[in-house]
Amino acid sequence: MDYNSMIPFQDLNLYPDPPTTSTFITPKIEPKLEPLDEPPPPPPPPSLHLSDVASPAHSSAEADIYSEFCRLSELFRSTIAQKHGDAAILPDSDPDSRAIVPVPDPETQVSNVVLAPRGSRKYQTRSSELVRVTDLKPEDDRYFRDLIRKTRMLFDSLRVFSIAEDEKQMDMMVPHRKTRGDLKASAFMRQSGLWLNRDKRIVGDIPGVSIGDVFFFRMELCVVGLHGQAQAGIDYVPASHSSNGEPIATSIIVSGGYEDDEDAGDVIVYTGHGGQDKHNRQVMHQKLECGNLALERSMHYGIEVRVIRGFKYEGSISGKVYVYDGLYRIIETWFDVGKSGFGVFKFKLVRIENQVEMGSAVMKLAQSLKIRPLEVRPKGYVTLDLSRKKENIPVFFFNDIDGDHDPLYHEYLISTIFPPYVYNSGSTAGCECVGGCLNDCFCVMRNGGEFAYDVHGNILRGKPLIFECGPHCRCPPTCRNRVTQKGVRHRFEVFRSRETGWGVRSLNLIQAGSFICEYAGVVLTREQAQIFTMNGDNLIYPSRFAERWKEWGDLSQIFSDYVCPSYPSVPPLDFAMDVSRMRNVACYMSHSSIPNVFVQLVLYDHNNLSFPHLMLFAMENIPPMRELSLDYGVADEWMGKMAICN
DNA sequence: GGTCTTTCATATCG
DNA sequence: CCGATATGAAAGAC
């Protein structure tokens, strides 16, 4: 990493807030700014480091399944064993990453991390160097956005993977306490040096993290560097590390843990920490020290703090979510007598203007839209169910921009229509799990010896193809291996957008890995498609979708010999889909090269490998009201969608 | 550099 | 559905 090129903050006047530029920070603290005017970063590294080599046609497909299954389990166990220091974990990192992101040095990696005896804390420690990142170019922004997304995908993959492994142990009657997947995931990533933003203490926005981004675990906030405390509500550079001996606060979490908090959205009265017993009762006076002092010092220097709100959310795994709500300035602090009768420090924070709307406010809006849409937005709703009762959950249609009601004039198609012969071909094999499918289920074997979904119905790993239980199986409809066939679980809204023509958003928070909907259409064979194309109709070619499933569940950065699942090998998709007359909500989704939705092929109602369903899953936690996007695999930004907008 | 302490976690159990 | 309790992990304080 080249730190020589770093320029002291005072020499650059890039900070966009004029009033605070001069008083922003005392020279003593010597904050530095990452120079951002050097050549743009290299394109994001290819997400896959191990190519998906098609395995040679095995005579026994079963051998493939088991070897893959056993190898992975072994991989997991041996990596756990490494905690005791008997093997090397070599991280897989992009050597050209921007300097602000930690790039693990293989040498320090070996000496500091891998060989560290159990219990010692020889991981890379946090830097105390204050930095603010401003004026990111669009390409920088995309790079960091992608980096954050990949980091969070890895976190989630590891979390779910750890829980899945834990369940196997449970099945084998090994008594133990349930694994905390969040802790396991963060530990793995820390060992591999994959925590972000640890070599600088960033004041202000974290590159790649947007206002409104939603997190389910505190450890996840640590991993991306948004808030570095596993439990504490105030994150700060400690006095002992600060160049002027004063602590500086960088972020807080507002989650109602203190009775004297007042949260009015743009204005927060935040209570300092301390003085509580283990039952969170205020039993002592607070002191102006640690985080309290840091907040006071941040106020003095006019340093903004990141605010993350934590609140209860139904439908969240943990029952709670954390939402990044942007930057606030501390404008006032005083010592007050709290409700308990003990003295507490209070801090008045005001949200800095000209930021996009608060994530928590957007979530509240979406919540009320679900219940009474017409009262909240009297204008713009064209219909409250585009699907005309075909979907489990109505699909709203909103257009407050122009009079285009085109989506109304298409027949709503809930699932793809295949040619009839598809259902008569292929095997009619199914499982015999009358009492519900377990690990020895035939369909589980077909998925490589593991369930494709976790108990919440979230996809574990992207695969060339997933077999769900279907009509040939004897398991009940409640079987865990039936997910996509049950249809949508979220409230979607098709909307008119000035930027993307049509778009799709959800009024629910969608957890990463959860099923969204099918990409439905009428299947045309190659011959039929040629005729249609000659008539000037635009068709969807499923083979063109980028294979983003490879990124979901990719653990190659943690387990060096991890390989992307290549089983079962499916023939290239050789059909087109007509969505000109019949379509579902999916075809209004926009294209993006940093998509939040990916395509996973699934079979459930027939066994013909050549005609799978195109099922869409969330690549990241998608906050309510954020546009869904797919990688259509097209060079031109909007071509994928233009094909069906006309 | 260890060890201790604090901390607006999280899961489970009555 | 709470509250108590157990387990846990980061990182600041000393």
Side-chain angles (χ1 to χ4, degrees):
Chain A
M1 249 178 297
D2 179 20
Y3 287 109
N4 298 328
S5 60
M6 291 185 56
I7 302 166
F9 177 81
Q10 289 78 14
D11 297 341
L12 284 173
N13 205 5
L14 295 178
Y15 188 57
D17 276 4
T20 56
T21 308
S22 55
T23 58
F24 162 60
I25 229 165
T26 59
K28 283 184 288 182
I29 296 178
E30 293 174 0
K32 293 186 178 174
L33 186 65
E34 197 64 29
L36 292 170
D37 49 358
E38 55 188 48
S47 54
L48 263 188
H49 303 279
L50 293 150
S51 56
D52 179 15
V53 185
S55 53
H58 264 265
S59 53
S60 161
E62 236 171 66
D64 253 10
I65 301 172
Y66 278 116
S67 62
E68 166 77 351
F69 165 60
C70 296
R71 197 186 50 74
L72 257 182
S73 293
E74 196 39 53
L75 207 57
F76 187 77
R77 266 184 280 282
S78 63
T79 305
I80 288 182
Q82 281 170 10
K83 275 183 122 176
H84 301 275
D86 57 347
I89 306 168
L90 287 177
D92 194 353
S93 68
D94 169 21
D96 296 316
S97 290
R98 297 301 297 256
I100 209 157
V101 176
V103 179
D105 174 358
E107 285 176 37
T108 58
Q109 198 71 28
V110 168
S111 58
N112 285 352
V113 178
V114 177
L115 300 180
R118 185 179 168 77
S120 78
R121 303 221 181 260
K122 291 207 171 171
Y123 303 114
Q124 178 196 15
T125 51
R126 296 179 92 186
S127 156
S128 57
E129 187 179 14
L130 283 170
V131 164
R132 182 186 281 118
V133 185
T134 58
D135 294 345
L136 276 184
K137 294 185 197 124
E139 60 265 30
D140 294 328
D141 199 53
R142 293 162 71 87
Y143 172 78
F144 286 120
R145 183 87 209 149
D146 202 45
L147 181 70
I148 293 281
R149 191 192 55 172
K150 289 202 165 80
T151 301
R152 296 184 65 187
M153 275 200 290
L154 183 57
F155 177 87
D156 256 325
S157 302
L158 283 167
R159 186 178 63 79
V160 176
F161 185 63
S162 301
I163 293 169
E165 283 298 312
D166 191 62
E167 280 175 6
K168 284 179 195 158
Q169 297 280 307
M170 286 285 195
D171 286 349
M172 288 188 276
M173 300 307 221
V174 182
H176 61 99
R177 171 166 277 272
K178 246 188 180 176
T179 293
R180 285 268 305 269
D182 55 328
L183 301 182
K184 208 51 146 305
S186 64
F188 272 131
M189 292 181 73
R190 196 155 96 135
Q191 283 168 34
S192 298
L194 294 171
W195 285 29
L196 302 180
N197 300 313
R198 291 176 64 80
D199 58 342
K200 301 279 186 303
R201 296 286 292 240
I202 296 182
V203 167
D205 288 317
I206 300 290
V209 178
S210 312
I211 290 174
D213 281 356
V214 174
F215 302 79
F216 290 102
F217 297 94
R218 283 289 293 262
M219 291 314 297
E220 207 177 350
L221 301 175
C222 295
V223 170
V224 300
L226 194 62
H227 186 84
Q229 302 284 342
Q231 292 191 6
I234 305 168
D235 195 15
Y236 58 102
V237 177
S240 56
H241 292 60
S242 165
S243 51
N244 71 343
E246 296 178 2
I248 296 292
T250 53
S251 60
I252 63 168
I253 293 186
V254 188
S255 59
Y258 281 78
E259 58 194 3
D260 298 310
D261 280 357
E262 293 167 44
D263 186 359
D266 283 346
V267 181
I268 303 167
V269 177
Y270 189 77
T271 310
H273 60 194
Q276 289 188 324
D277 67 4
K278 58 180 177 175
H279 300 301
N280 295 338
R281 282 182 300 233
Q282 205 69 40
V283 293
M284 281 162 53
H285 297 308
Q286 292 183 345
K287 295 173 189 157
L288 190 58
E289 58 186 20
C290 304
N292 297 349
L293 181 59
L295 281 172
E296 193 277 334
R297 288 289 87 189
S298 281
M299 180 187 80
H300 180 257
Y301 294 121
I303 295 174
E304 70 276 25
V305 293
R306 293 184 290 273
V307 169
I308 299 114
R309 277 195 176 73
F311 48 88
K312 284 186 178 159
Y313 192 85
E314 216 177 318
S316 148
I317 302 279
S318 53
K320 226 180 159 181
V321 291
Y322 297 95
V323 180
Y324 177 47
D325 267 344
L327 304 175
Y328 285 63
R329 230 181 272 290
I330 311 159
I331 58 162
E332 202 182 343
T333 178
W334 65 96
F335 191 67
D336 204 354
V337 177
K339 290 175 180 160
S340 61
F342 291 97
V344 292
F345 280 92
K346 290 194 170 174
F347 300 91
K348 186 172 184 181
L349 292 99
V350 177
R351 194 163 191 261
I352 294 175
E353 299 200 342
N354 300 323
Q355 300 183 86
V356 301
E357 204 180 344
M358 280 191 295
S360 55
V362 173
M363 289 180 76
K364 282 200 185 85
L365 170 73
Q367 197 68 28
S368 57
L369 276 174
K370 278 193 289 186
I371 303 163
R372 36 188 168 73
L374 298 178
E375 288 172 46
V376 179
R377 286 197 300 206
K379 284 184 185 170
Y381 277 112
V382 182
T383 171
L384 291 182
D385 193 4
L386 206 53
S387 86
R388 296 185 184 90
K389 295 199 163 70
K390 284 182 181 165
E391 297 276 22
N392 304 334
I393 296 171
V395 179
F396 290 178
F397 172 30
F398 183 80
N399 183 354
D400 62 346
I401 290 181
D402 57 33
D404 195 332
H405 292 176
D406 183 66
L408 278 183
Y409 308 119
H410 297 273
E411 190 173 335
Y412 198 89
L413 189 61
I414 196 165
S415 183
T416 290
I417 298 179
F418 293 102
Y421 67 83
V422 167
Y423 294 90
N424 306 324
S425 56
S427 79
T428 56
C431 70
E432 302 289 329
C433 313
V434 180
C437 297
L438 297 171
N439 280 327
D440 56 351
C441 162
F442 173 73
C443 298
V444 171
M445 307 287 175
R446 290 205 290 180
N447 286 314
E450 61 185 16
F451 274 104
Y453 309 111
D454 72 359
V455 288
H456 302 101
N458 293 340
I459 185 168
L460 254 85
R461 285 201 286 158
K463 292 177 177 159
L465 182 66
I466 284 176
F467 296 94
E468 290 192 9
C469 291
H472 300 302
C473 299
R474 298 188 63 198
C475 59
T478 53
C479 164
R480 175 174 157 186
N481 195 28
R482 299 170 185 265
V483 172
T484 64
Q485 58 190 276
K486 291 182 181 168
V488 304
R489 294 184 296 183
H490 302 292
R491 175 88 50 155
F492 295 113
E493 185 168 287
V494 175
F495 68 100
R496 192 76 168 139
S497 154
R498 290 187 204 285
E499 292 81 31
T500 62
W502 298 111
V504 180
R505 59 196 174 202
S506 167
L507 299 185
N508 297 85
L509 165 59
I510 304 177
Q511 197 189 12
S514 76
F515 174 60
I516 292 185
C517 67
E518 178 165 3
Y519 200 110
V522 179
V523 165
L524 301 178
T525 59
R526 177 199 288 263
E527 296 74 27
Q528 290 170 317
Q530 278 167 353
I531 297 166
F532 266 72
T533 310
M534 280 188 289
N535 290 345
D537 282 295
N538 289 306
L539 302 174
I540 295 291
Y541 292 94
S543 59
R544 289 189 191 163
F545 283 106
E547 293 184 309
R548 292 286 184 161
W549 57 265
K550 290 180 179 174
E551 295 175 33
W552 183 257
D554 175 9
L555 303 179
S556 60
Q557 288 185 99
I558 301 293
F559 308 121
S560 52
D561 49 347
Y562 177 90
V563 287
C564 183
S566 56
Y567 177 87
S569 50
V570 283
L573 298 181
D574 191 28
F575 63 90
M577 288 203 305
D578 174 30
V579 291
S580 59
R581 277 175 294 277
M582 301 168 77
R583 55 174 71 166
N584 74 342
V585 57
C587 78
Y588 298 103
M589 283 185 200
S590 304
H591 168 82
S592 171
S593 55
I594 322 172
N596 51 22
V597 175
F598 69 95
V599 177
Q600 167 67 57
L601 304 181
V602 175
L603 285 185
Y604 67 88
D605 54 351
H606 65 75
N607 280 323
N608 192 319
L609 295 175
S610 300
F611 292 95
H613 290 272
L614 276 66
M615 296 302 190
L616 308 184
F617 288 82
M619 269 191 127
E620 56 188 0
N621 298 328
I622 307 175
M625 308 301 281
R626 184 171 291 179
E627 182 163 5
L628 308 186
S629 59
L630 266 171
D631 188 342
Y632 283 85
V634 289
D636 180 10
E637 271 285 299
W638 304 112
M639 232 185 76
K641 220 166 60 78
M642 294 317 290
I644 46 168
C645 277
N646 300 331

mmCIF file of all heavy atoms in Angstrom, chain A residues 488-518:
data_model
loop_
_atom_site.group_PDB
_atom_site.id
_atom_site.type_symbol
_atom_site.label_atom_id
_atom_site.label_comp_id
_atom_site.label_asym_id
_atom_site.label_seq_id
_atom_site.Cartn_x
_atom_site.Cartn_y
_atom_site.Cartn_z
ATOM 1 N N VAL A 488 -44.637 -15.836 -4.371
ATOM 2 C CA VAL A 488 -44.020 -14.652 -3.751
ATOM 3 C C VAL A 488 -44.425 -14.518 -2.293
ATOM 4 O O VAL A 488 -45.501 -14.962 -1.873
ATOM 5 C CB VAL A 488 -44.388 -13.364 -4.517
ATOM 6 C CG1 VAL A 488 -43.992 -13.469 -5.969
ATOM 7 C CG2 VAL A 488 -45.875 -13.078 -4.391
ATOM 8 N N ARG A 489 -43.534 -13.893 -1.539
ATOM 9 C CA ARG A 489 -43.794 -13.680 -0.112
ATOM 10 C C ARG A 489 -43.713 -12.198 0.244
ATOM 11 O O ARG A 489 -43.807 -11.839 1.405
ATOM 12 C CB ARG A 489 -42.752 -14.444 0.718
ATOM 13 C CG ARG A 489 -42.877 -15.954 0.576
ATOM 14 C CD ARG A 489 -41.891 -16.651 1.475
ATOM 15 N NE ARG A 489 -40.511 -16.360 1.095
ATOM 16 C CZ ARG A 489 -39.456 -16.898 1.685
ATOM 17 N NH1 ARG A 489 -39.615 -17.716 2.691
ATOM 18 N NH2 ARG A 489 -38.231 -16.593 1.281
ATOM 19 N N HIS A 490 -43.471 -11.389 -0.766
ATOM 20 C CA HIS A 490 -43.299 -9.969 -0.472
ATOM 21 C C HIS A 490 -44.284 -9.131 -1.270
ATOM 22 O O HIS A 490 -44.785 -9.547 -2.302
ATOM 23 C CB HIS A 490 -41.864 -9.530 -0.792
ATOM 24 C CG HIS A 490 -40.834 -10.299 -0.043
ATOM 25 N ND1 HIS A 490 -40.678 -10.199 1.309
ATOM 26 C CD2 HIS A 490 -39.914 -11.209 -0.458
ATOM 27 C CE1 HIS A 490 -39.699 -10.992 1.707
ATOM 28 N NE2 HIS A 490 -39.220 -11.628 0.652
ATOM 29 N N ARG A 491 -44.495 -7.949 -0.751
ATOM 30 C CA ARG A 491 -45.400 -7.014 -1.413
ATOM 31 C C ARG A 491 -44.603 -6.195 -2.425
ATOM 32 O O ARG A 491 -43.797 -5.350 -2.054
ATOM 33 C CB ARG A 491 -46.012 -6.096 -0.355
ATOM 34 C CG ARG A 491 -46.878 -5.015 -0.898
ATOM 35 C CD ARG A 491 -48.288 -5.461 -1.056
ATOM 36 N NE ARG A 491 -48.778 -6.078 0.164
ATOM 37 C CZ ARG A 491 -50.057 -6.146 0.512
ATOM 38 N NH1 ARG A 491 -50.971 -5.621 -0.271
ATOM 39 N NH2 ARG A 491 -50.420 -6.728 1.622
ATOM 40 N N PHE A 492 -44.829 -6.473 -3.687
ATOM 41 C CA PHE A 492 -44.078 -5.751 -4.712
ATOM 42 C C PHE A 492 -44.909 -4.643 -5.332
ATOM 43 O O PHE A 492 -46.137 -4.658 -5.284
ATOM 44 C CB PHE A 492 -43.611 -6.718 -5.804
ATOM 45 C CG PHE A 492 -42.634 -7.732 -5.306
ATOM 46 C CD1 PHE A 492 -42.973 -9.076 -5.243
ATOM 47 C CD2 PHE A 492 -41.385 -7.350 -4.863
ATOM 48 C CE1 PHE A 492 -42.070 -10.013 -4.761
ATOM 49 C CE2 PHE A 492 -40.475 -8.273 -4.388
ATOM 50 C CZ PHE A 492 -40.826 -9.603 -4.333
ATOM 51 N N GLU A 493 -44.167 -3.724 -5.930
ATOM 52 C CA GLU A 493 -44.804 -2.576 -6.548
ATOM 53 C C GLU A 493 -44.085 -2.308 -7.867
ATOM 54 O O GLU A 493 -42.877 -2.099 -7.885
ATOM 55 C CB GLU A 493 -44.661 -1.383 -5.592
ATOM 56 C CG GLU A 493 -45.373 -0.146 -6.032
ATOM 57 C CD GLU A 493 -45.434 0.882 -4.900
ATOM 58 O OE1 GLU A 493 -46.211 0.673 -3.955
ATOM 59 O OE2 GLU A 493 -44.687 1.873 -4.961
ATOM 60 N N VAL A 494 -44.828 -2.352 -8.956
ATOM 61 C CA VAL A 494 -44.282 -1.919 -10.244
ATOM 62 C C VAL A 494 -44.466 -0.412 -10.304
ATOM 63 O O VAL A 494 -45.542 0.089 -9.984
ATOM 64 C CB VAL A 494 -45.020 -2.595 -11.416
ATOM 65 C CG1 VAL A 494 -44.541 -2.045 -12.754
ATOM 66 C CG2 VAL A 494 -44.840 -4.103 -11.356
ATOM 67 N N PHE A 495 -43.400 0.300 -10.663
ATOM 68 C CA PHE A 495 -43.546 1.762 -10.664
ATOM 69 C C PHE A 495 -42.890 2.362 -11.899
ATOM 70 O O PHE A 495 -42.009 1.772 -12.514
ATOM 71 C CB PHE A 495 -42.955 2.367 -9.387
ATOM 72 C CG PHE A 495 -41.462 2.245 -9.289
ATOM 73 C CD1 PHE A 495 -40.637 3.330 -9.598
ATOM 74 C CD2 PHE A 495 -40.871 1.063 -8.875
ATOM 75 C CE1 PHE A 495 -39.263 3.221 -9.507
ATOM 76 C CE2 PHE A 495 -39.487 0.944 -8.783
ATOM 77 C CZ PHE A 495 -38.683 2.025 -9.094
ATOM 78 N N ARG A 496 -43.355 3.535 -12.242
ATOM 79 C CA ARG A 496 -42.800 4.291 -13.366
ATOM 80 C C ARG A 496 -41.618 5.083 -12.858
ATOM 81 O O ARG A 496 -41.708 5.737 -11.807
ATOM 82 C CB ARG A 496 -43.864 5.247 -13.919
ATOM 83 C CG ARG A 496 -43.495 5.872 -15.260
ATOM 84 C CD ARG A 496 -43.674 4.867 -16.350
ATOM 85 N NE ARG A 496 -43.607 5.470 -17.672
ATOM 86 C CZ ARG A 496 -42.972 4.875 -18.679
ATOM 87 N NH1 ARG A 496 -42.357 3.727 -18.504
ATOM 88 N NH2 ARG A 496 -42.978 5.424 -19.873
ATOM 89 N N SER A 497 -40.518 5.021 -13.596
ATOM 90 C CA SER A 497 -39.320 5.717 -13.143
ATOM 91 C C SER A 497 -38.760 6.543 -14.286
ATOM 92 O O SER A 497 -38.732 6.104 -15.429
ATOM 93 C CB SER A 497 -38.286 4.675 -12.680
ATOM 94 O OG SER A 497 -36.986 5.188 -12.803
ATOM 95 N N ARG A 498 -38.331 7.742 -13.975
ATOM 96 C CA ARG A 498 -37.749 8.591 -15.022
ATOM 97 C C ARG A 498 -36.426 8.028 -15.512
ATOM 98 O O ARG A 498 -36.042 8.218 -16.656
ATOM 99 C CB ARG A 498 -37.511 10.007 -14.477
ATOM 100 C CG ARG A 498 -38.801 10.773 -14.221
ATOM 101 C CD ARG A 498 -38.515 12.214 -13.843
ATOM 102 N NE ARG A 498 -39.616 12.795 -13.076
ATOM 103 C CZ ARG A 498 -40.768 13.178 -13.588
ATOM 104 N NH1 ARG A 498 -40.970 13.072 -14.886
ATOM 105 N NH2 ARG A 498 -41.721 13.673 -12.823
ATOM 106 N N GLU A 499 -35.730 7.344 -14.633
ATOM 107 C CA GLU A 499 -34.395 6.841 -15.003
ATOM 108 C C GLU A 499 -34.466 5.515 -15.735
ATOM 109 O O GLU A 499 -33.720 5.270 -16.667
ATOM 110 C CB GLU A 499 -33.520 6.664 -13.754
ATOM 111 C CG GLU A 499 -33.136 7.956 -13.056
ATOM 112 C CD GLU A 499 -34.238 8.480 -12.153
ATOM 113 O OE1 GLU A 499 -34.996 7.655 -11.608
ATOM 114 O OE2 GLU A 499 -34.359 9.713 -12.024
ATOM 115 N N THR A 500 -35.344 4.639 -15.274
ATOM 116 C CA THR A 500 -35.293 3.278 -15.789
ATOM 117 C C THR A 500 -36.574 2.842 -16.489
ATOM 118 O O THR A 500 -36.767 1.663 -16.730
ATOM 119 C CB THR A 500 -34.990 2.290 -14.640
ATOM 120 O OG1 THR A 500 -36.043 2.360 -13.679
ATOM 121 C CG2 THR A 500 -33.682 2.618 -13.961
ATOM 122 N N GLY A 501 -37.432 3.770 -16.805
ATOM 123 C CA GLY A 501 -38.671 3.369 -17.484
ATOM 124 C C GLY A 501 -39.639 2.762 -16.492
ATOM 125 O O GLY A 501 -40.380 3.462 -15.815
ATOM 126 N N TRP A 502 -39.592 1.452 -16.418
ATOM 127 C CA TRP A 502 -40.339 0.767 -15.378
ATOM 128 C C TRP A 502 -39.363 0.239 -14.345
ATOM 129 O O TRP A 502 -38.193 -0.004 -14.650
ATOM 130 C CB TRP A 502 -41.165 -0.394 -15.941
ATOM 131 C CG TRP A 502 -42.215 0.029 -16.929
ATOM 132 C CD1 TRP A 502 -42.228 -0.226 -18.264
ATOM 133 C CD2 TRP A 502 -43.399 0.778 -16.651
ATOM 134 N NE1 TRP A 502 -43.354 0.314 -18.843
ATOM 135 C CE2 TRP A 502 -44.089 0.937 -17.870
ATOM 136 C CE3 TRP A 502 -43.954 1.323 -15.488
ATOM 137 C CZ2 TRP A 502 -45.302 1.625 -17.966
ATOM 138 C CZ3 TRP A 502 -45.142 2.005 -15.573
ATOM 139 C CH2 TRP A 502 -45.820 2.159 -16.818
ATOM 140 N N GLY A 503 -39.873 0.046 -13.156
ATOM 141 C CA GLY A 503 -39.039 -0.549 -12.119
ATOM 142 C C GLY A 503 -39.898 -1.348 -11.160
ATOM 143 O O GLY A 503 -41.122 -1.264 -11.183
ATOM 144 N N VAL A 504 -39.229 -2.146 -10.362
ATOM 145 C CA VAL A 504 -39.918 -2.930 -9.345
ATOM 146 C C VAL A 504 -39.270 -2.647 -8.005
ATOM 147 O O VAL A 504 -38.039 -2.571 -7.911
ATOM 148 C CB VAL A 504 -39.824 -4.451 -9.635
ATOM 149 C CG1 VAL A 504 -40.552 -5.240 -8.552
ATOM 150 C CG2 VAL A 504 -40.385 -4.776 -10.997
ATOM 151 N N ARG A 505 -40.085 -2.452 -6.989
ATOM 152 C CA ARG A 505 -39.553 -2.324 -5.634
ATOM 153 C C ARG A 505 -40.455 -3.105 -4.694
ATOM 154 O O ARG A 505 -41.546 -3.528 -5.075
ATOM 155 C CB ARG A 505 -39.478 -0.847 -5.230
ATOM 156 C CG ARG A 505 -40.805 -0.120 -5.257
ATOM 157 C CD ARG A 505 -40.617 1.390 -5.230
ATOM 158 N NE ARG A 505 -41.878 2.089 -5.389
ATOM 159 C CZ ARG A 505 -41.985 3.351 -5.809
ATOM 160 N NH1 ARG A 505 -40.900 4.035 -6.131
ATOM 161 N NH2 ARG A 505 -43.164 3.933 -5.921
ATOM 162 N N SER A 506 -39.969 -3.296 -3.497
ATOM 163 C CA SER A 506 -40.720 -4.060 -2.517
ATOM 164 C C SER A 506 -41.109 -3.151 -1.368
ATOM 165 O O SER A 506 -40.370 -2.233 -1.028
ATOM 166 C CB SER A 506 -39.872 -5.223 -2.000
ATOM 167 O OG SER A 506 -40.453 -5.787 -0.850
ATOM 168 N N LEU A 507 -42.266 -3.414 -0.795
ATOM 169 C CA LEU A 507 -42.646 -2.671 0.402
ATOM 170 C C LEU A 507 -42.161 -3.393 1.654
ATOM 171 O O LEU A 507 -42.225 -2.870 2.750
ATOM 172 C CB LEU A 507 -44.159 -2.459 0.460
ATOM 173 C CG LEU A 507 -44.752 -1.655 -0.699
ATOM 174 C CD1 LEU A 507 -46.241 -1.395 -0.483
ATOM 175 C CD2 LEU A 507 -44.015 -0.328 -0.893
ATOM 176 N N ASN A 508 -41.710 -4.617 1.465
ATOM 177 C CA ASN A 508 -41.126 -5.362 2.575
ATOM 178 C C ASN A 508 -39.610 -5.276 2.496
ATOM 179 O O ASN A 508 -39.050 -5.103 1.431
ATOM 180 C CB ASN A 508 -41.495 -6.842 2.495
ATOM 181 C CG ASN A 508 -42.973 -7.077 2.614
ATOM 182 O OD1 ASN A 508 -43.698 -6.998 1.642
ATOM 183 N ND2 ASN A 508 -43.413 -7.369 3.819
ATOM 184 N N LEU A 509 -39.002 -5.438 3.627
ATOM 185 C CA LEU A 509 -37.570 -5.646 3.653
ATOM 186 C C LEU A 509 -37.302 -7.072 3.198
ATOM 187 O O LEU A 509 -37.899 -8.007 3.708
ATOM 188 C CB LEU A 509 -37.071 -5.433 5.086
ATOM 189 C CG LEU A 509 -35.683 -5.925 5.429
ATOM 190 C CD1 LEU A 509 -34.647 -5.258 4.548
ATOM 191 C CD2 LEU A 509 -35.389 -5.629 6.889
ATOM 192 N N ILE A 510 -36.428 -7.219 2.205
ATOM 193 C CA ILE A 510 -36.133 -8.548 1.682
ATOM 194 C C ILE A 510 -34.761 -8.973 2.172
ATOM 195 O O ILE A 510 -33.759 -8.306 1.911
ATOM 196 C CB ILE A 510 -36.159 -8.560 0.140
ATOM 197 C CG1 ILE A 510 -37.515 -8.042 -0.361
ATOM 198 C CG2 ILE A 510 -35.883 -9.960 -0.378
ATOM 199 C CD1 ILE A 510 -37.598 -7.962 -1.868
ATOM 200 N N GLN A 511 -34.730 -10.073 2.868
ATOM 201 C CA GLN A 511 -33.448 -10.540 3.377
ATOM 202 C C GLN A 511 -32.626 -11.196 2.277
ATOM 203 O O GLN A 511 -33.168 -11.878 1.403
ATOM 204 C CB GLN A 511 -33.682 -11.537 4.513
ATOM 205 C CG GLN A 511 -32.431 -11.727 5.325
ATOM 206 C CD GLN A 511 -32.544 -12.861 6.312
ATOM 207 O OE1 GLN A 511 -33.473 -13.657 6.254
ATOM 208 N NE2 GLN A 511 -31.580 -12.918 7.204
ATOM 209 N N ALA A 512 -31.330 -10.962 2.335
ATOM 210 C CA ALA A 512 -30.425 -11.557 1.349
ATOM 211 C C ALA A 512 -30.628 -13.064 1.305
ATOM 212 O O ALA A 512 -30.728 -13.712 2.344
ATOM 213 C CB ALA A 512 -28.982 -11.229 1.703
ATOM 214 N N GLY A 513 -30.704 -13.614 0.122
ATOM 215 C CA GLY A 513 -30.861 -15.054 -0.046
ATOM 216 C C GLY A 513 -32.302 -15.516 -0.105
ATOM 217 O O GLY A 513 -32.566 -16.688 -0.336
ATOM 218 N N SER A 514 -33.218 -14.586 0.090
ATOM 219 C CA SER A 514 -34.605 -15.047 0.087
ATOM 220 C C SER A 514 -35.193 -14.970 -1.318
ATOM 221 O O SER A 514 -34.779 -14.177 -2.155
ATOM 222 C CB SER A 514 -35.448 -14.282 1.108
ATOM 223 O OG SER A 514 -35.749 -12.999 0.640
ATOM 224 N N PHE A 515 -36.179 -15.793 -1.524
ATOM 225 C CA PHE A 515 -36.818 -15.911 -2.830
ATOM 226 C C PHE A 515 -37.626 -14.657 -3.139
ATOM 227 O O PHE A 515 -38.319 -14.128 -2.277
ATOM 228 C CB PHE A 515 -37.714 -17.146 -2.843
ATOM 229 C CG PHE A 515 -38.522 -17.286 -4.099
ATOM 230 C CD1 PHE A 515 -37.907 -17.390 -5.339
ATOM 231 C CD2 PHE A 515 -39.908 -17.314 -4.049
ATOM 232 C CE1 PHE A 515 -38.648 -17.512 -6.505
ATOM 233 C CE2 PHE A 515 -40.669 -17.438 -5.201
ATOM 234 C CZ PHE A 515 -40.035 -17.537 -6.435
ATOM 235 N N ILE A 516 -37.544 -14.216 -4.371
ATOM 236 C CA ILE A 516 -38.284 -13.030 -4.772
ATOM 237 C C ILE A 516 -39.483 -13.416 -5.634
ATOM 238 O O ILE A 516 -40.620 -13.274 -5.220
ATOM 239 C CB ILE A 516 -37.349 -12.038 -5.484
ATOM 240 C CG1 ILE A 516 -36.370 -11.491 -4.454
ATOM 241 C CG2 ILE A 516 -38.146 -10.926 -6.140
ATOM 242 C CD1 ILE A 516 -35.463 -10.423 -4.923
ATOM 243 N N CYS A 517 -39.194 -13.921 -6.825
ATOM 244 C CA CYS A 517 -40.279 -14.385 -7.682
ATOM 245 C C CYS A 517 -39.657 -15.110 -8.868
ATOM 246 O O CYS A 517 -38.452 -15.126 -9.025
ATOM 247 C CB CYS A 517 -41.140 -13.213 -8.175
ATOM 248 S SG CYS A 517 -40.273 -12.098 -9.301
ATOM 249 N N GLU A 518 -40.516 -15.693 -9.671
ATOM 250 C CA GLU A 518 -40.025 -16.326 -10.885
ATOM 251 C C GLU A 518 -39.909 -15.277 -11.984
ATOM 252 O O GLU A 518 -40.613 -14.269 -11.968
ATOM 253 C CB GLU A 518 -41.005 -17.430 -11.317
ATOM 254 C CG GLU A 518 -40.599 -18.133 -12.616
ATOM 255 C CD GLU A 518 -41.347 -19.431 -12.862
ATOM 256 O OE1 GLU A 518 -42.240 -19.768 -12.056
ATOM 257 O OE2 GLU A 518 -41.029 -20.107 -13.863
#
